[in-house]
Amino acid sequence: MNIVVLVKQVPDTWAERKLNEGDKTLDRASVDVVMNEIDEYAVEEALRIKEAQGGEVTILTMGPERAVETIRKALSMGADKAVHLSDEALKGSDAVQTSYALGKVLETLEYDLVIVGSEATDSRMATMGALLSERLGQPQLTGARKVTAEGGTVTIERQTDDGYAVVEASTPAIISVMEKINEPRYPSFKGIMAAKSKPLTTLSVGDAGVDEGQVGLAAAPSQVVEFSNKPPRQAGQIVKDEGDGGTKIAEYLASQKFV
Amino acid sequence: MSRWDTAERQALRQLARDLTAKEIAPHVAGWEREGQLPRSLHKTFANAGVLSVAFPEEVGGGGGDSIDAAIVAEEILLGGGSGGVVASLFTHGIAVPHIVQSGSRDLVDRYVRPTLAGDLIGALAVTEPGGGSDVAGLRTRAVRDGDAYVVTGAKTYITSGVRADFVTTAVRTGDDGYGGISLLVIDKGLPGFTVSPPLDKMGWRASDTAELSFDEVRVPAANLVGDEGAGFVLIMKQFQSERLAMATQAWATAQRCLDLVIPWLKDRETFGRPLSSRQVVRHKVAEMARQVWVAKTATRAAYEAWLDTGDAVTEVSMAKNTACAVCDHVVDEAVQLFGGLGYMRESEVERHYRDSRILRIGGGTDEIMNEVIAKRLGV
């Protein structure tokens, strides 16, 4: 079973994240960057399927040159090869444009499954699986906490508020996974050493057959118009206990709809 | 690009950092209280290939070198691990290299591979109750009897000795002096082999330390490492990597204290101003940082000399004394700058203060290092 995993490099969620003042895009240069956390689960799931059934795991990443660090991490976890779509023209692309560009690359790859993380911690759009499904005309299975792939069929358990639903599709299909699905492995030292000799293809928009006019900030269907920093935290409300402290706290919690 | 900073080593550094943040830092306080590490930690680090990073692939290792091992130790300490964790988790770094270097394939399969896979824990036993630094004078005796050696004697201050499944033990098989020393791998549980309860130490408390007693323990002759009489040379050779590891632990512990102190000084106000605004404090920190840089630079230079020339006894000895003296100074200043809080068990610098003190003793004392250096200088 051949699997493509979409992996995104994002600012470390523990770091202070900000937008560029000028074009209001995410500042990716001045912060520590990491693999989007849920993508590690996507890689892990692909590796488990591959280890059980054979096949190849390909990492697909769109991002600046620096994103190669994240690609190497996925390769050092055990993925077989990677495609890196990297071009200055892609800067500022929104989710719709990104799905267009990634879809173009996916059209050139042979796969049974595309596995994506349910959302990225930077944009928090949580739409990539759905957008690709529409563009590629392939079924999507979302919110998987368990994946079973056999023959030409893939079945998932989709987490819901009340329990789970079993959903099935024919392959090729697109699956988005959530944290409950597995415990991602650490890369290994041998994996790190092996990663440097694994095939990594870097594509420009031209190489990928992406129309430059349809990507990038200038052509983006959605753009950040304005932003402001989160207001500083307000001073808390102090409740003085005059024998009725418990009641007052309960009333406060009720007023905030916590209880 | 520095050989400490290649793309692969950056990735290894990140891996060690991630492992430390998730698998070590949240648990250190508990392990320090309990006095030992869980075996599962060995397995976790083995699965990531980090336990065996510097060992050859032929024996189940990662195929890296001692710089890779140093990077792992650096990151564990810089990320909030403790000296005791490093000493205990990497005891095999002193317990099995002799077997790798000159042991039989059988010994490699029975002891080295399972240890690097995180399934066995090994220890090295050289020091005896009657003498520490005087390796050539050790008295634990092994007498050949048929297909076994009969071992009688005692060892002390044995790192990971409580948990160890096997102990690479320096024994006297021949005459007095260094030529009569051999190494035997002795299994826990053999009749006559007893292990003391954990020794109660000033620092390195997450690392279990034991006294071992051998009362006519029959050890299969096949467990001899290399040739009879080859023990002293094997031990001395491996001392170099142990001393480098101690130097690494020293400078990285000092750097960690510096990393803890700086935000504290900016935050802590006395007489209406942050401590960091006081010239006496600022100069103290500058001096700490200068010393850490010297220790780090000397230690890394000694690693490079050792890797490049195979003989860097002078540099290694100098690096150990340099880094350990710096560590003692910096942990002491860190406690001073934290004031009353620095004296509390809840502050991390308090632990580093206690942990630092062993570094000038273990793996060869300051005084032994100076003797080695003086001899090398032809004095």
Side-chain angles (χ1 to χ4, degrees), chain A residues 183 186-190 196, chain B residues 8 15 19 22-23 48 61-62:
Chain A
E183 183 62 37
Y186 290 101
S188 71
F189 178 64
K190 280 189 179 174
K196 61 180 172 181
Chain B
E8 290 73 35
L15 170 59
L19 279 162
K22 202 165 162 196
E23 311 291 345

Side-chain angles (χ1 to χ4, degrees), chain A residues 33-34 40-41 69 72-73 76 183-184 186-190 192-193 196, chain B residues 8 11-12 15 18-19 22-23 44 47-49 53 57 61-62 64 68:
Chain A
V33 286
V34 295
E40 293 188 25
Y41 295 77
E69 297 161 23
R72 293 265 181 235
K73 179 173 182 181
S76 65
E183 183 62 37
Y186 290 101
S188 71
F189 178 64
K190 280 189 179 174
I192 288 169
M193 300 312 285
K196 61 180 172 181
Chain B
E8 290 73 35
L12 174 64
L15 170 59
D18 290 345
L19 279 162
K22 202 165 162 196
E23 311 291 345
T44 302
N47 288 343
V53 72
E57 290 182 89
D68 296 302

Side-chain angles (χ1 to χ4, degrees), chain A residues 111-249:
Chain A
Y111 59 85
D112 303 289
L113 293 177
V114 175
I115 304 184
V116 305
S118 53
E119 69 174 357
T121 54
D122 53 0
S123 56
R124 313 231 24 202
M125 296 293 285
T127 53
M128 199 49 59
L131 289 165
L132 285 169
S133 169
E134 179 66 21
R135 287 194 184 276
L136 298 167
Q138 290 165 359
Q140 69 150 337
L141 304 172
T142 56
R145 66 171 203 182
K146 186 178 177 195
V147 176
T148 316
E150 268 177 12
T153 305
V154 57
T155 309
I156 68 152
E157 288 181 10
R158 172 186 291 151
Q159 185 69 33
T160 69
D161 286 345
D162 305 318
Y164 67 93
V166 177
V167 194
E168 192 179 276
S170 59
T171 59
I174 295 159
I175 299 172
S176 71
V177 299
M178 55 185 302
E179 283 97 339
K180 275 196 172 70
I181 196 163
N182 57 44
E183 183 62 37
R185 70 195 66 189
Y186 290 101
S188 71
F189 178 64
K190 280 189 179 174
I192 288 169
M193 300 312 285
K196 61 180 172 181
S197 54
K198 287 181 176 174
L200 167 59
T201 309
T202 306
L203 301 178
S204 66
V205 290
D207 297 334
V210 171
D211 175 3
E212 202 168 316
Q214 291 193 46
V215 293
L217 186 61
S222 65
Q223 293 187 4
V224 177
V225 180
E226 199 180 3
F227 68 92
S228 61
N229 291 325
K230 206 159 66 169
R233 195 178 283 197
Q234 302 295 310
Q237 184 183 329
I238 296 171
V239 176
K240 195 168 180 194
D241 181 19
E242 289 163 336
D244 59 351
T247 311
K248 283 180 178 165
I249 289 172

